[in-house]
Amino acid sequence: VKPAAAPANLPPHLSDVNSKFDPPKWARYYVIKSYSEDDIHKSIKYSVWASTENGNRRLEQGWKAAQSKGPIYLFFSVNASGQFCGCAQMTSSIDYKSKLDCWADDKWSGKFSVKWVFIKDIPNSHFRHIILENNENKPVTNSRDTQEVPMEKGKEMLSIFRSFRHKTSIIDDFAFYDKRQKEMEDAKTSGKKKSGADDEPEFVTPPREANKRKQQEESSQSTKASKSKGRD
């Protein structure tokens, strides 16, 4: 199966995403967990990210330790999505004084720059065999936000991202999330946002996932119909 083609209107700074990539000999790796794909969309769009206070501190420590050795790569996954959705390189230290207002939730502070290397939907089943000895020997798919991945395991994850021939990615739904971003910004401006600064963004099923489920249902119905005919 051929991987999904990137849209023609892909922003210039993403022109080399999913292209030829030579992995470094030395790097540090972390798993990043997001509450929503809305924030993944913003990260890809603006080349930034922000974590919790503890998460920012953990990444900053890694950044300082890695400065003279090599890069830091972040493997992104949305909570309860059952997949990883991309990999980005951390390209700056944490700016603790800044707070971006683009996130779906207002509680994230600080920011740092990232460069997206891979943007692909890859099911957890392709990573579940990777066991992290620094996290009670749990699969990497059971990681919490900013869980560090040992170097050899990180290299293996990077290799999977390089070779996986994906069918879908969040890029497929960029127009959907652009529209959703505008609606959320308009709601904030007009004061229609639900009360409470810690309200989590409303969960939505992205179009590509809805289409995938529809295709699976149609395939299942077709299989049942074929079996039924076979018994007649």
Side-chain angles (χ1 to χ4, degrees), residues 211-228:
N211 290 336
K212 188 188 300 182
R213 293 175 187 176
K214 182 179 179 181
Q215 291 173 359
Q216 290 174 342
E217 289 175 1
E218 291 175 347
S219 176
S220 177
Q221 291 173 358
S222 177
T223 300
K224 289 180 180 178
S226 297
K227 290 181 178 180
S228 178

Side-chain angles (χ1 to χ4, degrees), residues 15-195:
S15 60
D16 58 350
V17 164
N18 298 336
S19 61
K20 184 178 179 181
F21 177 78
D22 294 321
K25 293 183 179 179
W26 191 98
R28 293 186 77 157
Y29 304 89
Y30 294 85
V31 170
I32 300 295
K33 301 294 290 188
S34 175
Y35 278 122
S36 73
E37 235 181 31
D38 291 282
D39 286 346
I40 300 295
H41 161 255
K42 309 295 195 320
S43 177
I44 294 171
K45 191 173 182 177
Y46 302 123
S47 299
V48 292
W49 189 250
S51 184
T52 61
E53 182 178 343
N54 288 335
N56 282 339
R57 190 181 302 114
R58 193 173 296 119
L59 292 173
E60 180 70 8
Q61 290 173 348
W63 170 265
K64 289 179 178 178
Q67 276 307 283
S68 61
K69 299 179 181 179
I72 290 178
Y73 291 103
L74 312 173
F75 301 113
F76 284 78
S77 175
V78 176
N79 287 341
S81 66
Q83 64 184 18
F84 279 85
C85 60
C87 172
Q89 180 181 345
M90 185 177 178
T91 56
S92 79
S93 61
I94 311 290
D95 179 357
Y96 289 100
K97 296 181 180 180
S98 295
K99 181 174 181 178
L100 300 173
D101 61 1
C102 65
W103 307 123
D105 195 298
D106 293 330
K107 62 186 177 183
W108 313 120
S109 61
K111 71 169 185 177
F112 59 92
S113 300
V114 297
K115 175 180 172 56
W116 283 81
V117 182
F118 298 107
I119 303 175
K120 304 178 177 182
D121 291 340
I122 308 182
N124 281 348
S125 57
H126 292 270
F127 297 99
R128 199 167 283 123
H129 66 282
I130 299 176
I131 305 299
L132 303 188
E133 59 272 22
N134 62 335
N135 188 30
E136 301 177 351
N137 290 317
K138 295 178 181 178
V140 69
T141 51
N142 287 25
S143 299
R144 293 185 176 183
D145 186 47
T146 64
Q147 168 66 50
E148 184 164 10
V149 180
M151 189 181 301
E152 292 307 313
K153 304 296 176 66
K155 287 181 178 179
E156 185 175 356
M157 292 186 71
L158 206 55
S159 177
I160 293 170
F161 266 101
R162 288 177 64 203
S163 61
F164 188 80
R165 298 179 65 82
H166 65 298
K167 297 179 182 178
T168 61
S169 79
I170 190 176
I171 295 297
D172 304 336
D173 291 337
F174 235 60
F176 168 80
Y177 282 112
D178 279 338
K179 180 182 178 182
R180 186 166 154 81
Q181 178 184 0
K182 186 177 186 307
E183 292 172 348
M184 295 170 76
E185 290 174 348
D186 289 345
K188 284 184 179 180
T189 302
S190 63
K192 293 180 180 179
K193 185 180 184 295
K194 294 179 180 179
S195 62

